[in-house]
Amino acid sequence: MKRAGREWAPVVLVFAAGMLLWQFVLAPWLGRFLLPTPVQIGKSLHEHWSVLWHAGWFTLQEALGGFAIGCGLGIVAALALARYRRLSGALMPYFIAANAVPIIAFAPIMNDWFGLLNPHSKMAIAAVLCFFPVMINTMRGLTSVPPAAIELMRSYAASELEIFRRVRFPTALPFLFTGLKVATVLSMIGAIVGEYFGGSIQALGVQIENSVTLFDLPLAWAAIVVASSMGIAFYALIGVAERFTMGWHPSAHGE
């Protein structure tokens, strides 16, 4: 308990200092019309909680769908590229090129393909963002096994499938979870960016855009708080899954 308190104390102190600085320095300096105070944002969050919660849940479902699709394809691609190294050399430049394209360039295209109001268009955008970090991290883990361990398995006449199951995949788990944590944040970003180019009025990104257009900045910031909170909760959920899955590994204990 004391250790947890020591770990969280700096986080709480920095947060409190940031809120005080925002409330009494930044907001008065920039003008409360341009930068609402935390008190104004909290009031708007309380007044519009029902609308913001439903909008956040709608967007979170899009992010979850994109996360599942992008991460699933990333893991499958990593398994294939780690198994067939020549294929990796042939395809990797194209994966890098696709990842280098700004997401705002993909968003209108996905909306045209799947439909402006179709949640699948936002899932596709989120999937594109999630694919690359998961694929790269997983492949790095799969190919980081010490050669001696591979040779030992082969000396016992282990098949390639057994080597993957018993050696490569356990070694890749810390790398995989690192990619999944990055993908949780990217999936929310992808879903909200996609909504900025058109989406259901129930979506959080549309709520933010409409609030800014109507100069209701406290409501816009309240929607951003909801999006950030859901992103943090999603990240924490993957962290909990990592601890349960990798209790045997030193990285799960910060060692």
Side-chain angles (χ1 to χ4, degrees), residues 154-183:
R154 285 175 178 163
S155 70
Y156 287 105
S159 65
E160 287 296 328
L161 180 61
E162 289 176 323
I163 292 174
F164 261 86
R165 184 168 64 88
R166 296 180 181 276
V167 179
R168 291 193 185 276
F169 200 71
T171 302
L173 278 178
F175 297 85
L176 170 60
F177 275 106
T178 297
L180 293 177
K181 288 177 180 178
V182 174

PDB file of all heavy atoms in Angstrom, residues 154-183:
ATOM      1  N   ARG A 154      15.451 -27.775 -31.785  1.00  0.00           N
ATOM      2  CA  ARG A 154      15.616 -28.619 -32.968  1.00  0.00           C
ATOM      3  C   ARG A 154      16.386 -29.896 -32.645  1.00  0.00           C
ATOM      4  O   ARG A 154      16.173 -30.938 -33.283  1.00  0.00           O
ATOM      5  CB  ARG A 154      16.334 -27.826 -34.068  1.00  0.00           C
ATOM      6  CG  ARG A 154      15.413 -26.797 -34.728  1.00  0.00           C
ATOM      7  CD  ARG A 154      16.137 -25.937 -35.726  1.00  0.00           C
ATOM      8  NE  ARG A 154      15.194 -25.004 -36.373  1.00  0.00           N
ATOM      9  CZ  ARG A 154      15.560 -23.915 -37.048  1.00  0.00           C
ATOM     10  NH1 ARG A 154      16.855 -23.609 -37.170  1.00  0.00           N
ATOM     11  NH2 ARG A 154      14.643 -23.140 -37.612  1.00  0.00           N
ATOM     12  N   SER A 155      17.253 -29.824 -31.655  1.00  0.00           N
ATOM     13  CA  SER A 155      17.985 -31.029 -31.264  1.00  0.00           C
ATOM     14  C   SER A 155      17.056 -32.069 -30.655  1.00  0.00           C
ATOM     15  O   SER A 155      17.375 -33.260 -30.631  1.00  0.00           O
ATOM     16  CB  SER A 155      19.088 -30.675 -30.264  1.00  0.00           C
ATOM     17  OG  SER A 155      18.530 -30.292 -29.010  1.00  0.00           O
ATOM     18  N   TYR A 156      15.893 -31.598 -30.156  1.00  0.00           N
ATOM     19  CA  TYR A 156      14.884 -32.510 -29.628  1.00  0.00           C
ATOM     20  C   TYR A 156      13.843 -32.858 -30.690  1.00  0.00           C
ATOM     21  O   TYR A 156      12.768 -33.366 -30.363  1.00  0.00           O
ATOM     22  CB  TYR A 156      14.184 -31.902 -28.420  1.00  0.00           C
ATOM     23  CG  TYR A 156      15.040 -31.878 -27.174  1.00  0.00           C
ATOM     24  CD1 TYR A 156      15.605 -30.698 -26.720  1.00  0.00           C
ATOM     25  CD2 TYR A 156      15.279 -33.051 -26.450  1.00  0.00           C
ATOM     26  CE1 TYR A 156      16.396 -30.672 -25.583  1.00  0.00           C
ATOM     27  CE2 TYR A 156      16.060 -33.030 -25.304  1.00  0.00           C
ATOM     28  CZ  TYR A 156      16.624 -31.839 -24.879  1.00  0.00           C
ATOM     29  OH  TYR A 156      17.406 -31.822 -23.744  1.00  0.00           O
ATOM     30  N   ALA A 157      14.172 -32.532 -31.946  1.00  0.00           N
ATOM     31  CA  ALA A 157      13.287 -32.831 -33.090  1.00  0.00           C
ATOM     32  C   ALA A 157      11.956 -32.096 -32.995  1.00  0.00           C
ATOM     33  O   ALA A 157      10.914 -32.596 -33.428  1.00  0.00           O
ATOM     34  CB  ALA A 157      13.057 -34.332 -33.215  1.00  0.00           C
ATOM     35  N   ALA A 158      11.977 -30.902 -32.446  1.00  0.00           N
ATOM     36  CA  ALA A 158      10.754 -30.100 -32.348  1.00  0.00           C
ATOM     37  C   ALA A 158      10.398 -29.534 -33.718  1.00  0.00           C
ATOM     38  O   ALA A 158      11.274 -29.120 -34.488  1.00  0.00           O
ATOM     39  CB  ALA A 158      10.949 -28.957 -31.355  1.00  0.00           C
ATOM     40  N   SER A 159       9.105 -29.515 -34.029  1.00  0.00           N
ATOM     41  CA  SER A 159       8.642 -28.948 -35.288  1.00  0.00           C
ATOM     42  C   SER A 159       8.649 -27.424 -35.200  1.00  0.00           C
ATOM     43  O   SER A 159       8.776 -26.844 -34.114  1.00  0.00           O
ATOM     44  CB  SER A 159       7.231 -29.445 -35.593  1.00  0.00           C
ATOM     45  OG  SER A 159       6.321 -28.954 -34.616  1.00  0.00           O
ATOM     46  N   GLU A 160       8.480 -26.781 -36.362  1.00  0.00           N
ATOM     47  CA  GLU A 160       8.431 -25.313 -36.376  1.00  0.00           C
ATOM     48  C   GLU A 160       7.250 -24.804 -35.551  1.00  0.00           C
ATOM     49  O   GLU A 160       7.350 -23.776 -34.881  1.00  0.00           O
ATOM     50  CB  GLU A 160       8.335 -24.804 -37.816  1.00  0.00           C
ATOM     51  CG  GLU A 160       9.614 -24.926 -38.616  1.00  0.00           C
ATOM     52  CD  GLU A 160      10.736 -24.073 -38.039  1.00  0.00           C
ATOM     53  OE1 GLU A 160      10.442 -23.001 -37.475  1.00  0.00           O
ATOM     54  OE2 GLU A 160      11.909 -24.483 -38.142  1.00  0.00           O
ATOM     55  N   LEU A 161       6.133 -25.532 -35.598  1.00  0.00           N
ATOM     56  CA  LEU A 161       4.967 -25.130 -34.810  1.00  0.00           C
ATOM     57  C   LEU A 161       5.268 -25.188 -33.322  1.00  0.00           C
ATOM     58  O   LEU A 161       4.897 -24.291 -32.559  1.00  0.00           O
ATOM     59  CB  LEU A 161       3.776 -26.026 -35.152  1.00  0.00           C
ATOM     60  CG  LEU A 161       2.473 -25.720 -34.405  1.00  0.00           C
ATOM     61  CD1 LEU A 161       2.007 -24.301 -34.712  1.00  0.00           C
ATOM     62  CD2 LEU A 161       1.391 -26.746 -34.780  1.00  0.00           C
ATOM     63  N   GLU A 162       5.953 -26.240 -32.890  1.00  0.00           N
ATOM     64  CA  GLU A 162       6.308 -26.362 -31.469  1.00  0.00           C
ATOM     65  C   GLU A 162       7.292 -25.288 -31.051  1.00  0.00           C
ATOM     66  O   GLU A 162       7.217 -24.767 -29.937  1.00  0.00           O
ATOM     67  CB  GLU A 162       6.906 -27.749 -31.206  1.00  0.00           C
ATOM     68  CG  GLU A 162       5.881 -28.869 -31.275  1.00  0.00           C
ATOM     69  CD  GLU A 162       6.520 -30.232 -31.110  1.00  0.00           C
ATOM     70  OE1 GLU A 162       7.648 -30.405 -31.622  1.00  0.00           O
ATOM     71  OE2 GLU A 162       5.899 -31.105 -30.480  1.00  0.00           O
ATOM     72  N   ILE A 163       8.234 -24.933 -31.950  1.00  0.00           N
ATOM     73  CA  ILE A 163       9.192 -23.867 -31.644  1.00  0.00           C
ATOM     74  C   ILE A 163       8.462 -22.539 -31.473  1.00  0.00           C
ATOM     75  O   ILE A 163       8.754 -21.764 -30.547  1.00  0.00           O
ATOM     76  CB  ILE A 163      10.259 -23.775 -32.748  1.00  0.00           C
ATOM     77  CG1 ILE A 163      11.149 -25.022 -32.731  1.00  0.00           C
ATOM     78  CG2 ILE A 163      11.100 -22.515 -32.582  1.00  0.00           C
ATOM     79  CD1 ILE A 163      12.130 -25.098 -33.875  1.00  0.00           C
ATOM     80  N   PHE A 164       7.494 -22.283 -32.339  1.00  0.00           N
ATOM     81  CA  PHE A 164       6.707 -21.053 -32.219  1.00  0.00           C
ATOM     82  C   PHE A 164       5.920 -21.047 -30.915  1.00  0.00           C
ATOM     83  O   PHE A 164       5.882 -20.035 -30.202  1.00  0.00           O
ATOM     84  CB  PHE A 164       5.749 -20.930 -33.409  1.00  0.00           C
ATOM     85  CG  PHE A 164       6.242 -20.023 -34.493  1.00  0.00           C
ATOM     86  CD1 PHE A 164       7.077 -20.503 -35.482  1.00  0.00           C
ATOM     87  CD2 PHE A 164       5.894 -18.686 -34.519  1.00  0.00           C
ATOM     88  CE1 PHE A 164       7.544 -19.681 -36.486  1.00  0.00           C
ATOM     89  CE2 PHE A 164       6.356 -17.849 -35.514  1.00  0.00           C
ATOM     90  CZ  PHE A 164       7.181 -18.335 -36.505  1.00  0.00           C
ATOM     91  N   ARG A 165       5.315 -22.180 -30.598  1.00  0.00           N
ATOM     92  CA  ARG A 165       4.435 -22.231 -29.428  1.00  0.00           C
ATOM     93  C   ARG A 165       5.194 -22.189 -28.116  1.00  0.00           C
ATOM     94  O   ARG A 165       4.779 -21.541 -27.162  1.00  0.00           O
ATOM     95  CB  ARG A 165       3.569 -23.493 -29.499  1.00  0.00           C
ATOM     96  CG  ARG A 165       2.531 -23.609 -28.390  1.00  0.00           C
ATOM     97  CD  ARG A 165       1.560 -24.715 -28.713  1.00  0.00           C
ATOM     98  NE  ARG A 165       2.211 -26.015 -28.763  1.00  0.00           N
ATOM     99  CZ  ARG A 165       2.376 -26.810 -27.705  1.00  0.00           C
ATOM    100  NH1 ARG A 165       1.961 -26.414 -26.508  1.00  0.00           N
ATOM    101  NH2 ARG A 165       2.945 -27.985 -27.826  1.00  0.00           N
ATOM    102  N   ARG A 166       6.325 -22.865 -28.054  1.00  0.00           N
ATOM    103  CA  ARG A 166       7.038 -23.000 -26.791  1.00  0.00           C
ATOM    104  C   ARG A 166       8.153 -21.980 -26.586  1.00  0.00           C
ATOM    105  O   ARG A 166       8.555 -21.723 -25.456  1.00  0.00           O
ATOM    106  CB  ARG A 166       7.631 -24.415 -26.684  1.00  0.00           C
ATOM    107  CG  ARG A 166       6.585 -25.508 -26.630  1.00  0.00           C
ATOM    108  CD  ARG A 166       7.220 -26.876 -26.513  1.00  0.00           C
ATOM    109  NE  ARG A 166       6.230 -27.947 -26.492  1.00  0.00           N
ATOM    110  CZ  ARG A 166       5.585 -28.346 -25.399  1.00  0.00           C
ATOM    111  NH1 ARG A 166       5.838 -27.767 -24.239  1.00  0.00           N
ATOM    112  NH2 ARG A 166       4.709 -29.324 -25.461  1.00  0.00           N
ATOM    113  N   VAL A 167       8.684 -21.415 -27.669  1.00  0.00           N
ATOM    114  CA  VAL A 167       9.837 -20.514 -27.542  1.00  0.00           C
ATOM    115  C   VAL A 167       9.543 -19.123 -28.102  1.00  0.00           C
ATOM    116  O   VAL A 167       9.648 -18.121 -27.394  1.00  0.00           O
ATOM    117  CB  VAL A 167      11.078 -21.112 -28.247  1.00  0.00           C
ATOM    118  CG1 VAL A 167      12.267 -20.154 -28.126  1.00  0.00           C
ATOM    119  CG2 VAL A 167      11.428 -22.462 -27.650  1.00  0.00           C
ATOM    120  N   ARG A 168       9.174 -19.075 -29.379  1.00  0.00           N
ATOM    121  CA  ARG A 168       9.041 -17.761 -30.021  1.00  0.00           C
ATOM    122  C   ARG A 168       7.892 -16.939 -29.441  1.00  0.00           C
ATOM    123  O   ARG A 168       8.066 -15.760 -29.111  1.00  0.00           O
ATOM    124  CB  ARG A 168       8.847 -17.927 -31.532  1.00  0.00           C
ATOM    125  CG  ARG A 168      10.075 -18.442 -32.274  1.00  0.00           C
ATOM    126  CD  ARG A 168       9.913 -18.281 -33.772  1.00  0.00           C
ATOM    127  NE  ARG A 168      11.015 -18.870 -34.512  1.00  0.00           N
ATOM    128  CZ  ARG A 168      12.166 -18.246 -34.744  1.00  0.00           C
ATOM    129  NH1 ARG A 168      12.348 -17.013 -34.285  1.00  0.00           N
ATOM    130  NH2 ARG A 168      13.121 -18.842 -35.448  1.00  0.00           N
ATOM    131  N   PHE A 169       6.709 -17.540 -29.304  1.00  0.00           N
ATOM    132  CA  PHE A 169       5.560 -16.750 -28.848  1.00  0.00           C
ATOM    133  C   PHE A 169       5.701 -16.290 -27.399  1.00  0.00           C
ATOM    134  O   PHE A 169       5.413 -15.117 -27.099  1.00  0.00           O
ATOM    135  CB  PHE A 169       4.260 -17.530 -29.045  1.00  0.00           C
ATOM    136  CG  PHE A 169       3.048 -16.642 -29.051  1.00  0.00           C
ATOM    137  CD1 PHE A 169       2.792 -15.791 -30.113  1.00  0.00           C
ATOM    138  CD2 PHE A 169       2.180 -16.628 -27.971  1.00  0.00           C
ATOM    139  CE1 PHE A 169       1.691 -14.959 -30.116  1.00  0.00           C
ATOM    140  CE2 PHE A 169       1.068 -15.794 -27.966  1.00  0.00           C
ATOM    141  CZ  PHE A 169       0.830 -14.948 -29.053  1.00  0.00           C
ATOM    142  N   PRO A 170       6.161 -17.152 -26.458  1.00  0.00           N
ATOM    143  CA  PRO A 170       6.392 -16.630 -25.096  1.00  0.00           C
ATOM    144  C   PRO A 170       7.400 -15.490 -25.058  1.00  0.00           C
ATOM    145  O   PRO A 170       7.242 -14.539 -24.289  1.00  0.00           O
ATOM    146  CB  PRO A 170       6.905 -17.858 -24.344  1.00  0.00           C
ATOM    147  CG  PRO A 170       6.320 -19.019 -25.063  1.00  0.00           C
ATOM    148  CD  PRO A 170       6.321 -18.620 -26.514  1.00  0.00           C
ATOM    149  N   THR A 171       8.440 -15.572 -25.892  1.00  0.00           N
ATOM    150  CA  THR A 171       9.426 -14.493 -25.947  1.00  0.00           C
ATOM    151  C   THR A 171       8.809 -13.217 -26.504  1.00  0.00           C
ATOM    152  O   THR A 171       9.178 -12.099 -26.105  1.00  0.00           O
ATOM    153  CB  THR A 171      10.619 -14.914 -26.836  1.00  0.00           C
ATOM    154  OG1 THR A 171      11.192 -16.107 -26.302  1.00  0.00           O
ATOM    155  CG2 THR A 171      11.676 -13.825 -26.873  1.00  0.00           C
ATOM    156  N   ALA A 172       7.841 -13.374 -27.424  1.00  0.00           N
ATOM    157  CA  ALA A 172       7.241 -12.217 -28.090  1.00  0.00           C
ATOM    158  C   ALA A 172       6.163 -11.525 -27.251  1.00  0.00           C
ATOM    159  O   ALA A 172       5.777 -10.395 -27.567  1.00  0.00           O
ATOM    160  CB  ALA A 172       6.639 -12.640 -29.430  1.00  0.00           C
ATOM    161  N   LEU A 173       5.682 -12.173 -26.181  1.00  0.00           N
ATOM    162  CA  LEU A 173       4.563 -11.609 -25.421  1.00  0.00           C
ATOM    163  C   LEU A 173       4.823 -10.194 -24.890  1.00  0.00           C
ATOM    164  O   LEU A 173       3.962  -9.326 -25.013  1.00  0.00           O
ATOM    165  CB  LEU A 173       4.177 -12.546 -24.275  1.00  0.00           C
ATOM    166  CG  LEU A 173       3.261 -13.710 -24.649  1.00  0.00           C
ATOM    167  CD1 LEU A 173       3.005 -14.595 -23.438  1.00  0.00           C
ATOM    168  CD2 LEU A 173       1.935 -13.199 -25.218  1.00  0.00           C
ATOM    169  N   PRO A 174       5.987  -9.906 -24.268  1.00  0.00           N
ATOM    170  CA  PRO A 174       6.211  -8.526 -23.812  1.00  0.00           C
ATOM    171  C   PRO A 174       6.169  -7.510 -24.959  1.00  0.00           C
ATOM    172  O   PRO A 174       5.636  -6.414 -24.800  1.00  0.00           O
ATOM    173  CB  PRO A 174       7.615  -8.581 -23.175  1.00  0.00           C
ATOM    174  CG  PRO A 174       7.831 -10.022 -22.845  1.00  0.00           C
ATOM    175  CD  PRO A 174       7.112 -10.796 -23.900  1.00  0.00           C
ATOM    176  N   PHE A 175       6.717  -7.895 -26.108  1.00  0.00           N
ATOM    177  CA  PHE A 175       6.696  -7.015 -27.272  1.00  0.00           C
ATOM    178  C   PHE A 175       5.258  -6.834 -27.773  1.00  0.00           C
ATOM    179  O   PHE A 175       4.849  -5.733 -28.156  1.00  0.00           O
ATOM    180  CB  PHE A 175       7.561  -7.597 -28.392  1.00  0.00           C
ATOM    181  CG  PHE A 175       9.014  -7.711 -28.046  1.00  0.00           C
ATOM    182  CD1 PHE A 175       9.502  -8.811 -27.367  1.00  0.00           C
ATOM    183  CD2 PHE A 175       9.907  -6.701 -28.398  1.00  0.00           C
ATOM    184  CE1 PHE A 175      10.854  -8.926 -27.048  1.00  0.00           C
ATOM    185  CE2 PHE A 175      11.255  -6.800 -28.085  1.00  0.00           C
ATOM    186  CZ  PHE A 175      11.726  -7.914 -27.409  1.00  0.00           C
ATOM    187  N   LEU A 176       4.503  -7.928 -27.780  1.00  0.00           N
ATOM    188  CA  LEU A 176       3.114  -7.872 -28.236  1.00  0.00           C
ATOM    189  C   LEU A 176       2.294  -6.918 -27.372  1.00  0.00           C
ATOM    190  O   LEU A 176       1.543  -6.078 -27.899  1.00  0.00           O
ATOM    191  CB  LEU A 176       2.503  -9.276 -28.202  1.00  0.00           C
ATOM    192  CG  LEU A 176       0.984  -9.366 -28.420  1.00  0.00           C
ATOM    193  CD1 LEU A 176       0.596  -8.811 -29.778  1.00  0.00           C
ATOM    194  CD2 LEU A 176       0.509 -10.814 -28.278  1.00  0.00           C
ATOM    195  N   PHE A 177       2.422  -7.036 -26.065  1.00  0.00           N
ATOM    196  CA  PHE A 177       1.630  -6.173 -25.182  1.00  0.00           C
ATOM    197  C   PHE A 177       2.056  -4.710 -25.301  1.00  0.00           C
ATOM    198  O   PHE A 177       1.228  -3.806 -25.134  1.00  0.00           O
ATOM    199  CB  PHE A 177       1.718  -6.657 -23.740  1.00  0.00           C
ATOM    200  CG  PHE A 177       0.734  -7.738 -23.423  1.00  0.00           C
ATOM    201  CD1 PHE A 177       1.146  -9.059 -23.278  1.00  0.00           C
ATOM    202  CD2 PHE A 177      -0.610  -7.444 -23.289  1.00  0.00           C
ATOM    203  CE1 PHE A 177       0.239 -10.061 -22.994  1.00  0.00           C
ATOM    204  CE2 PHE A 177      -1.533  -8.443 -23.007  1.00  0.00           C
ATOM    205  CZ  PHE A 177      -1.115  -9.761 -22.859  1.00  0.00           C
ATOM    206  N   THR A 178       3.331  -4.473 -25.581  1.00  0.00           N
ATOM    207  CA  THR A 178       3.757  -3.093 -25.829  1.00  0.00           C
ATOM    208  C   THR A 178       3.036  -2.532 -27.042  1.00  0.00           C
ATOM    209  O   THR A 178       2.537  -1.397 -27.026  1.00  0.00           O
ATOM    210  CB  THR A 178       5.283  -3.041 -26.056  1.00  0.00           C
ATOM    211  OG1 THR A 178       5.953  -3.477 -24.878  1.00  0.00           O
ATOM    212  CG2 THR A 178       5.725  -1.621 -26.384  1.00  0.00           C
ATOM    213  N   GLY A 179       2.958  -3.320 -28.113  1.00  0.00           N
ATOM    214  CA  GLY A 179       2.238  -2.885 -29.303  1.00  0.00           C
ATOM    215  C   GLY A 179       0.755  -2.690 -29.037  1.00  0.00           C
ATOM    216  O   GLY A 179       0.140  -1.740 -29.537  1.00  0.00           O
ATOM    217  N   LEU A 180       0.155  -3.579 -28.245  1.00  0.00           N
ATOM    218  CA  LEU A 180      -1.267  -3.456 -27.929  1.00  0.00           C
ATOM    219  C   LEU A 180      -1.555  -2.191 -27.130  1.00  0.00           C
ATOM    220  O   LEU A 180      -2.585  -1.522 -27.339  1.00  0.00           O
ATOM    221  CB  LEU A 180      -1.737  -4.686 -27.151  1.00  0.00           C
ATOM    222  CG  LEU A 180      -1.755  -6.015 -27.909  1.00  0.00           C
ATOM    223  CD1 LEU A 180      -2.170  -7.153 -26.978  1.00  0.00           C
ATOM    224  CD2 LEU A 180      -2.681  -5.952 -29.115  1.00  0.00           C
ATOM    225  N   LYS A 181      -0.666  -1.842 -26.209  1.00  0.00           N
ATOM    226  CA  LYS A 181      -0.867  -0.616 -25.423  1.00  0.00           C
ATOM    227  C   LYS A 181      -0.822   0.627 -26.316  1.00  0.00           C
ATOM    228  O   LYS A 181      -1.620   1.542 -26.149  1.00  0.00           O
ATOM    229  CB  LYS A 181       0.198  -0.520 -24.330  1.00  0.00           C
ATOM    230  CG  LYS A 181       0.002  -1.510 -23.191  1.00  0.00           C
ATOM    231  CD  LYS A 181       1.146  -1.399 -22.191  1.00  0.00           C
ATOM    232  CE  LYS A 181       0.981  -2.369 -21.046  1.00  0.00           C
ATOM    233  NZ  LYS A 181       2.105  -2.307 -20.082  1.00  0.00           N
ATOM    234  N   VAL A 182       0.136   0.640 -27.243  1.00  0.00           N
ATOM    235  CA  VAL A 182       0.201   1.753 -28.189  1.00  0.00           C
ATOM    236  C   VAL A 182      -1.078   1.800 -29.030  1.00  0.00           C
ATOM    237  O   VAL A 182      -1.639   2.871 -29.298  1.00  0.00           O
ATOM    238  CB  VAL A 182       1.444   1.624 -29.092  1.00  0.00           C
ATOM    239  CG1 VAL A 182       1.440   2.691 -30.183  1.00  0.00           C
ATOM    240  CG2 VAL A 182       2.719   1.727 -28.263  1.00  0.00           C
ATOM    241  N   ALA A 183      -1.553   0.630 -29.425  1.00  0.00           N
ATOM    242  CA  ALA A 183      -2.737   0.559 -30.286  1.00  0.00           C
ATOM    243  C   ALA A 183      -4.004   1.039 -29.588  1.00  0.00           C
ATOM    244  O   ALA A 183      -4.918   1.540 -30.244  1.00  0.00           O
ATOM    245  CB  ALA A 183      -2.921  -0.872 -30.782  1.00  0.00           C
TER     246      ALA A 183
END
